[in-house]
């Protein structure tokens, strides 16, 4: 190879390296912007539902056959409720990820709540309850979907999130199990202290 070809080859590789670092920098910057956008959207969504540590009124739902399902029957222990709408593309994408899911997520009871007509198809294994009168929507002050809540039997909202994926729901379940374990340890510690006294 002659000197001009070697120089052209070196300039070519230098250009490729500069372009690579430029593209990586742009991707990194876009990633930061997207993370910030996700945080702002989550904060904005926080305005559209019952706040964590607030207490909601009991409500009644219906199963696919129209039979009433009371709050006491549905929420016997901390339970994850996913509020969906059939007019929501994010809900449709999330439901596709829930295919094959049964009545629990990450070890805690789970049910999807929708204002849709029972004839709207959902995966057969997905536990779907219907809110024909909007009672759950009103009790949860739910104005955006999808929205996920962890509720205890007294109606206390333990957690709330706008889920984008099944992983988000599993994360809520993991956090709830962690809170339950910490609560059990704290109760055991209090009992041990009381026995020593």
């Amino acid at each position: 190879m002659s000197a001009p070809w070697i120089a052209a080859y070196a300039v070519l590789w230098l250009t490729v390296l500069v372009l690579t670092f430029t593209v990586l920098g742009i991707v990194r910057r876009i990633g930061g912007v997207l993370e910030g956008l996700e945080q702002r959207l989550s904060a904005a969504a926080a305005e559209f539902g019952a706040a964590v540590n607030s207490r909601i009124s009991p409500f009644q739902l219906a199963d696919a056959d129209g039979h009433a399902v009371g709050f006491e029957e549905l929420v016997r222990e901390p339970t994850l409720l996913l509020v969906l709408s059939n007019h929501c593309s994010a809900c449709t994408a999330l439901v596709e990820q829930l295919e094959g899911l049964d009545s629990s997520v990450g070890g805690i009871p789970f049910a999807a709540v929708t204002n849709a007509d029972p004839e709207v198809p959902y995966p057969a294994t997905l536990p779907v309850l219907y809110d024909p009168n909007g009672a759950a929507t009103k009790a949860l002050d739910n104005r955006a979907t999808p929205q996920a809540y962890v509720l205890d039997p007294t109606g206390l909202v333990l957690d709330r999130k706008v889920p984008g994926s099944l992983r988000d729901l599993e994360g809520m379940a993991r956090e709830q199990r962690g809170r339950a374990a910490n609560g059990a340890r704290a109760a055991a510690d209090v009992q041990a202290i009381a026995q020593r006294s």
Side-chain angles (χ1 to χ4, degrees):
M1 266 209 243
S2 65
W5 283 105
I6 292 173
Y9 189 71
V11 168
L12 176 67
W13 274 106
L14 184 60
T15 304
V16 167
L17 283 173
V18 168
L19 284 175
T20 300
F21 284 115
T22 303
V23 168
L24 288 174
I26 291 170
V27 167
R28 185 173 177 206
R29 183 172 293 170
I30 289 173
V33 168
L34 291 176
E35 286 177 13
L37 180 60
E38 180 182 13
Q39 289 173 353
R40 282 192 295 261
L41 287 174
S42 291
E47 300 172 11
F48 298 111
V52 173
N53 294 324
S54 66
R55 199 165 303 281
I56 63 163
S57 303
F59 51 82
Q60 188 167 312
L61 299 168
D63 65 14
D65 298 324
H67 298 111
V69 178
F71 184 83
E72 304 78 26
E73 183 182 349
L74 176 64
V75 185
R76 294 184 179 148
E77 60 184 290
T79 300
L80 177 60
L81 292 183
L82 175 62
V83 181
L84 301 168
S85 171
N86 62 332
H87 303 293
C88 163
S89 59
C91 296
T92 304
L94 185 56
V95 166
E96 288 173 6
Q97 295 179 36
L98 302 179
E99 186 89 37
L101 193 64
D102 60 6
S103 60
S104 73
V105 170
I108 71 168
F110 166 78
V113 176
T114 182
N115 59 358
D117 188 290
E119 294 175 11
V120 172
Y122 281 96
T125 60
L126 187 65
V128 178
L129 296 172
Y130 299 89
D131 188 17
N133 302 323
T137 301
K138 289 175 191 157
L140 294 166
D141 191 27
N142 198 76
R143 293 175 269 160
T145 55
Q147 190 91 242
Y149 300 87
V150 176
L151 303 174
D152 82 353
T154 68
L156 184 67
V157 179
L158 301 172
D159 197 4
R160 184 191 66 199
K161 185 175 214 164
V162 177
S165 66
L166 176 58
R167 269 196 329 231
D168 291 339
L169 297 174
E170 290 169 339
M172 289 177 76
R174 229 182 352 270
E175 289 173 21
Q176 177 54 41
R177 283 195 324 267
R179 280 192 293 274
N182 289 339
R185 278 194 296 272
D189 291 346
V190 168
Q191 187 176 17
I193 292 169
Q195 288 176 352
R196 283 187 234 147
S197 301

